[in-house]
Amino acid sequence: MQLAFFYFFSGLSILSALFVIFFRNTLSAAIALVVTLFGVACLFGLLEAHFLAAMQVLVYAGAVMVLFLFVIMLMNLGREELLKIKLAFLGIIGVITGVCLAILLVTRFMGLSAPLLSLDLGVEYGTVKSVGKLLFGEYLIPFELTSILLLVAIIGAITLARKPQS
Amino acid sequence: MFPNNPLLEPFLIIIAKVILIPVIVLNLIPLLIWMERKVSAYIQDRRGPNRANILGVRLAGMILNFADVVKLLTKEEFFPTGANRFYFVLAPGLVFFIYVITTAIIPFADVLKIGEFTMSFQVADLNVGVLYLFSMASLAVYGVMLAGWSSNNKYSLLGGLRASSQMISYEITMGLSIVTLFMMSGSVSLNDIIHYQSENPLYWNMIQQPLAFILFLIATFAETNRNPFDLPEGESELVAGYHVEYSSMKFALFFMGEYAAIIVASSVLAALFLGGWQVPFLSTQALIDNAVFFLNVIGKVFGVVSILLGLVLMVQFRPGRYKDARDFEVLILGIPALAVGIFASYFFFTQGIYDMPDWAPPVFAASVQFVTFITKVILFCFFFIWVRWTLPRFRYDQLMSFGWKGMIPASLVNLFLVSARMMF
């Protein structure tokens, strides 16, 4: 049963990820990205990482993508306007980045197997409690540094977006 | 298969719960629509719906809901010019679907234990608990946004954008204000939070954490797009907001989705702040131990109340009042009420129930808790309706500055105060 769910959700995320690339309509592409993120969250859930799954939906699908849609709807980009935006060497840069990422992912995760089906992880695994203990214990400093990074990004965004006060 | 589910229930019970719990929530929707109509009518010094009837039975206007269903199902389906059909059809279904699946984590009663058999009254007791609810509710924004955009109408687009920005802004307060509850009870699971609150109303979070309660309440009003925060639907500016182009059953799904959202919000409020299924001053064990006594008391009270109700209804019978079938409504309802009342009083005052099989006391306790929970939910629903017909609407910039400059700092202060109290 879990295997069936795994194939369903991974198929869903891969399919919708392809749609993100191939849809001409920006809004449809964004919606397909939401479905991708949701599918990945379901995969997290199948891997017993419940907290991560909830956060993935809450932050990415529920908040970040809403802002994407916001911008798309307000600018209401048509097809012609989109075709105008073309950078030189965009294709070449894209291919190089993609191949590098693929090599990295394949070499890194080749031998790993997911804790599906049989592995006994204990009751605590993936719960809010255990994730919290890791974040505020072992990984406290990276966690705090990340939050400072995000804070800097927020302040930067506000400064850029603010109207100059004369 | 489910290492985090300690109960391991039989498959059939899981299926039954998956079907029954949404059905319970869906059946509250017509009740809520009726309440909205009646409460608004009496607040505005009117009588409310009192015409629609089936063979003269009006049930104080409840029958109007059936008329509504027939009307909405048979109305013309309309697609505006230039609308994106796929998203136009998807949006109302999405809104409704998401609010229905959020009911999965609402616990309706304590875990039922009969000997070896255990069963929880919630579809899924997830360890992420309330976070699941937030993450699903945050997806409801898409339905609203897509509806606004796909209608190809500037009013609905503005309504959709307003709704989504409002929902994102108030989600932050919502999350921050209940972090204090998680800290106090040491869990994010709704059932654990209810257990932590105990059966004594003084320990319920509404009394213990008044600031968090007020902040969360205000945020739920904004999340469900209800007055005084119903800017997305602001009639005077946006006609009807994001669903202005919708007709027939697609409109009905938005309409029902709004009430489903109120029911989910009320259940969460009741569970987090009002002790959930906890009966005041009676723990689950006390209910089980005294089941015989309480059952007889309830039976006697029910009998007497039913007799009185039947008599009150029958006294109002005036032939020729409306000159149609409605004249006999008081008799149609009054005579059975009187008969049931007489039978119940006779049974409980002369015999009563004193022998109970082993399974009966826990089931009795669970049903009393279920009724208590539903009562609390309806209390909050009434509050939602009461506020809607009492307060005027905010202005949009006021709403945003209130959310970002008032609510979020207040919830941070609340978080700080509670942490300080827990530390020292």
Side-chain angles (χ1 to χ4, degrees), chain B residues 181-203:
Chain B
L181 305 190
F182 301 157
M183 278 160 47
M184 298 282 279
S185 50
S187 171
V188 290
S189 154
L190 275 178
N191 226 352
D192 291 349
I193 294 172
I194 293 171
H195 273 290
Y196 175 80
Q197 292 179 67
S198 83
E199 68 279 357
N200 189 342
L202 281 180
Y203 292 106

Side-chain angles (χ1 to χ4, degrees), chain A residues 27-28 31 34 38 48 50-51 54-55 57-58 61-62 65-66 69-70 73-74 76 123 127-128, chain B residues 1 3-4 84 87 127-128 131 134-136 138-139 141-142 145-146 149 157 161 164-165 168 188:
Chain A
L27 190 102
S28 297
I31 294 288
V34 175
F38 188 78
E48 300 294 337
H50 297 163
F51 180 69
M55 281 298 126
V57 176
L58 187 63
M65 284 314 294
V66 173
L69 278 192
F70 228 90
M73 282 178 179
L74 280 178
N76 212 3
V123 188
T127 60
V128 182
Chain B
M1 201 164 113
N4 287 322
N84 186 323
Y87 293 128
N127 65 60
V128 287
L131 295 176
F134 281 163
S135 57
M136 284 301 133
S138 69
L139 292 180
V141 183
Y142 288 109
M145 276 183 107
L146 286 176
W149 180 81
L157 179 64
L161 291 177
S164 42
S165 51
I168 301 174
V188 290

Side-chain angles (χ1 to χ4, degrees), chain B residues 5 31 61 78 89 128 171 201 219 232 269 275 350 392 417:
Chain B
N5 180 357
L31 182 75
F78 176 76
V89 175
V128 287
E171 236 163 50
L269 273 164
T350 54
L417 286 178

